[in-house]
Amino acid sequence: MPHRKVSWYKMDNASVMYSSLQTEEYSAIYRFSAVMTEKVQPEALQRAIDKVMPRFPGFRSRIRKGFFWYYFEPNKAPGPFLKEDVAEPCRPVRFNEDNNWLVRFYYYDRRISVEVFHAISDGAGTLSFMRCLLAQYLRETGVEVPNENGIQNIEEKSTAEEWEDAYSKYAVKRCKAQPLVKRAYQNIGTPEKFYTFNVTMGFMSVDKLKARAKSLGVSITDYLCGVLMYVLMKKQRSERPIKEKPIALSVPVNLRAYFPTKTMRNFILTVQPWIDPSLGDYSFEEVVSLVHHYMRIHCSPNEMRAAFSRNVRFQNNKFLKIVPRFLKNIIMTVSYKLKGTKPYSAIMTNPGIFKVPEEMQPYIEHMEVIQGQATVPRPHLASMSYGNIMEVTFSGTMKESELEREFFSFLVRDGIPVHIESNRQRPNGAEGGK
């Protein structure tokens, strides 16, 4: 794509799904924010956007509706333009608005935010893009930043490998389905009025998290997943169901760690750690241990290759290829409701550590991540770290806030102090708090 003129190009497997599912009630948009140590200069940031965007042609795409499939084509419209931040982040994308841009840029005080429609890139690809954007922004303000430690040279052309469809590249013809939980505890609450999007962030010490996780013999991601599952188990039990259902998480895994590729398109797969509370009570230590061992067993290249190969095979099905797009959308929507929401109680994603060159470190205070609106009124959970600050976000359209309150309260009881910020309105009119 970068080395030849193209009028359109095919979506990868994940792009097809996100494009087909996108509605006013579902937002496959996610946001990364960098909170700087100094107030943002919007003119410098817009110059940085203008200079960085050509280096990443995948982010300069728009979605078109073909008779059989959605597809990408280069977006030659003016923009994208920097805007002042909005009260409700991650609003659903409308393919025919905002000059068809699928990436948005916002600023407020010291915060720089980038929102991306999941069809064009996953979190790892977007963080590479954002790293370069922040580097160029600092250059525009007079800071010297070298092209190293993940900072690409924006004067160089993008390579074909950066935009390859890695799913198709590594898919195999024969694959065997692995058993999954068919219906988990749903954790669904009362939906907010449209479009009210609740965001609650918790900030904590990476060192304290690491020490507690190490004492249990697990990673920080394992520990946070364990806390979430344990709290969900207690929440379901408090509702006194006739029969307790499994507690299952959807945890995205970056496949680049298992299959060599430089792609900046989607290349992730979700795994499903779960427990069955109907078998009896679980201690927190048992839940964390189960998560840890499940992730080690099932995050194997062969098993994950089999999973995404099935998806690629479905997309390449000869019969499906001749089915009109509007019917494909119905098929994929029904399939997602059965296999994309019912087998899971919550989504937990951790894009990892945000690393930048030493020259940039004094200018970034911390990083934030927000996942968009789910197809059902339940919160998503996302986390990422920068320096010694881990940021954990609950986001969704559910009115009730018991889950996030219990989650952060558990961390405090477990010896990890948490500072809370939220856009939820308190009874006394205050917002957020500690």
Side-chain angles (χ1 to χ4, degrees):
M1 182 178 67
H3 299 298
R4 58 188 177 92
K5 293 182 179 180
V6 295
S7 57
W8 71 279
Y9 55 102
K10 187 178 178 181
M11 290 185 169
D12 60 56
N13 185 258
S15 300
V16 171
M17 180 191 71
Y18 290 121
S19 301
S20 300
L21 296 176
Q22 182 63 46
T23 66
E24 292 291 331
E25 289 75 33
Y26 171 59
S27 175
I29 292 278
Y30 56 89
R31 167 185 284 219
F32 289 117
S33 299
V35 176
M36 314 301 285
T37 55
E38 298 179 1
K39 192 171 182 178
V40 175
Q41 301 177 32
E43 296 82 5
L45 183 53
Q46 182 64 65
R47 291 196 302 270
I49 294 169
D50 296 339
K51 292 178 180 179
V52 169
M53 283 294 286
R55 174 61 180 77
F56 299 88
F59 288 83
R60 292 189 60 85
S61 303
R62 66 175 182 172
I63 289 177
R64 305 295 282 178
K65 297 178 180 179
F67 183 76
F68 295 106
W69 290 106
Y70 290 99
Y71 62 90
F72 287 125
E73 70 176 18
N75 191 346
K76 299 178 181 179
F81 299 114
L82 178 66
K83 302 175 183 178
E84 290 190 42
D85 212 347
V86 292
E88 308 290 350
C90 300
R91 295 182 179 183
V93 66
R94 299 183 178 95
F95 298 148
N96 59 347
E97 290 186 358
D98 197 22
N99 283 342
N100 306 116
W101 290 108
L102 304 175
V103 56
R104 307 165 180 161
F105 300 92
Y106 297 102
Y107 77 96
Y108 174 75
D109 194 28
R110 295 185 293 118
R111 180 178 284 105
I112 296 172
S113 300
V114 177
E115 292 186 354
V116 174
F117 183 45
H118 217 317
I120 62 174
S121 184
D122 58 22
T126 298
L127 285 176
S128 294
F129 169 81
M130 189 169 189
R131 194 176 288 111
C132 289
L133 175 65
L134 294 175
Q136 188 59 36
Y137 166 70
L138 290 174
R139 289 172 184 143
E140 296 294 326
T141 63
V143 180
E144 293 187 8
V145 180
N147 292 317
E148 58 186 33
N149 296 328
I151 307 297
Q152 287 121 317
N153 187 347
I154 62 173
E155 302 298 328
E156 296 178 351
K157 289 185 177 181
S158 178
T159 64
E161 188 181 10
E162 289 177 2
W163 302 104
E164 69 181 4
D165 181 354
Y167 290 116
S168 296
K169 178 179 179 179
Y170 288 105
V172 293
K173 292 183 179 180
R174 296 183 179 181
C175 48
K176 184 178 180 181
Q178 297 295 320
L180 295 175
V181 173
K182 292 184 178 180
R183 185 175 179 86
Y185 168 58
Q186 291 298 281
N187 183 40
I188 294 176
T190 308
E192 291 276 15
K193 63 181 180 180
F194 183 86
Y195 174 80
T196 302
F197 192 60
N198 295 319
V199 178
T200 301
M201 294 182 176
F203 299 87
M204 60 209 75
S205 164
V206 172
D207 289 341
K208 288 187 179 295
L209 270 175
K210 189 181 297 184
R212 180 59 177 130
K214 185 177 180 180
S215 71
L216 296 168
V218 301
S219 69
I220 289 179
T221 300
D222 294 337
Y223 174 76
L224 292 175
C225 286
V227 174
L228 180 59
M229 290 182 71
Y230 186 75
V231 171
L232 283 166
M233 182 183 71
K234 295 296 184 182
K235 181 174 181 289
Q236 178 181 217
R237 189 154 294 171
S238 70
E239 296 168 1
R240 299 182 181 277
I242 296 174
K243 181 181 179 180
E244 292 181 320
K245 294 183 174 64
I247 304 297
L249 301 184
S250 174
V251 183
V253 175
N254 183 0
L255 293 173
R256 296 166 183 82
Y258 303 89
F259 303 94
T261 179
K262 295 181 180 179
T263 188
M264 295 191 66
R265 298 175 71 177
N266 287 295
F267 198 40
I268 56 174
L269 182 76
T270 59
V271 294
Q272 187 197 42
W274 63 281
I275 58 172
D276 188 353
S278 67
L279 300 178
D281 201 13
Y282 288 86
S283 68
F284 172 65
E285 289 75 14
E286 287 175 322
V287 172
V288 172
S289 179
L290 286 169
V291 171
H292 171 76
H293 291 293
Y294 185 98
M295 297 296 285
R296 298 307 175 277
I297 292 171
H298 295 281
C299 288
S300 67
N302 289 338
E303 187 170 325
M304 292 190 294
R305 189 201 299 264
F308 69 73
S309 293
R310 292 195 303 274
N311 298 334
V312 172
R313 186 173 61 183
F314 175 77
Q315 182 183 352
N316 293 333
N317 181 279
K318 291 182 180 180
F319 171 75
L320 191 64
K321 284 185 176 181
I322 62 174
V323 175
R325 174 181 48 79
F326 76 93
L327 288 178
K328 285 190 180 83
N329 288 352
I330 296 173
I331 293 171
M332 296 192 75
T333 299
V334 172
S335 177
Y336 185 78
K337 286 182 178 179
L338 293 174
K339 298 182 179 180
T341 59
K342 293 188 184 302
Y344 304 105
S345 309
I347 293 177
M348 166 63 193
T349 181
N350 181 5
I353 303 170
F354 188 70
K355 296 181 179 180
V356 296
E358 185 177 345
E359 290 82 355
M360 295 175 61
Q361 293 174 10
Y363 301 93
I364 303 174
E365 181 182 289
H366 68 264
M367 298 294 297
E368 300 171 352
V369 57
I370 301 175
Q371 290 192 82
Q373 175 181 328
T375 55
V376 292
R378 67 182 177 201
H380 286 322
L381 181 62
S383 64
M384 68 182 303
S385 65
Y386 173 78
N388 193 35
I389 299 177
M390 171 67 78
E391 188 272 330
V392 178
T393 304
F394 282 86
S395 57
T397 58
M398 187 167 75
K399 285 186 178 181
E400 293 82 5
S401 59
E402 286 84 359
L403 181 63
E404 47 260 55
R405 184 175 64 246
E406 291 303 317
F407 180 91
F408 291 125
S409 295
F410 182 95
L411 292 177
V412 172
R413 292 193 299 269
D414 212 31
I416 302 170
V418 182
H419 167 76
I420 303 294
E421 295 180 3
S422 178
N423 68 352
R424 287 180 180 269
Q425 291 289 336
R426 303 306 185 198
N428 61 3
E431 294 186 8
K434 294 184 179 179

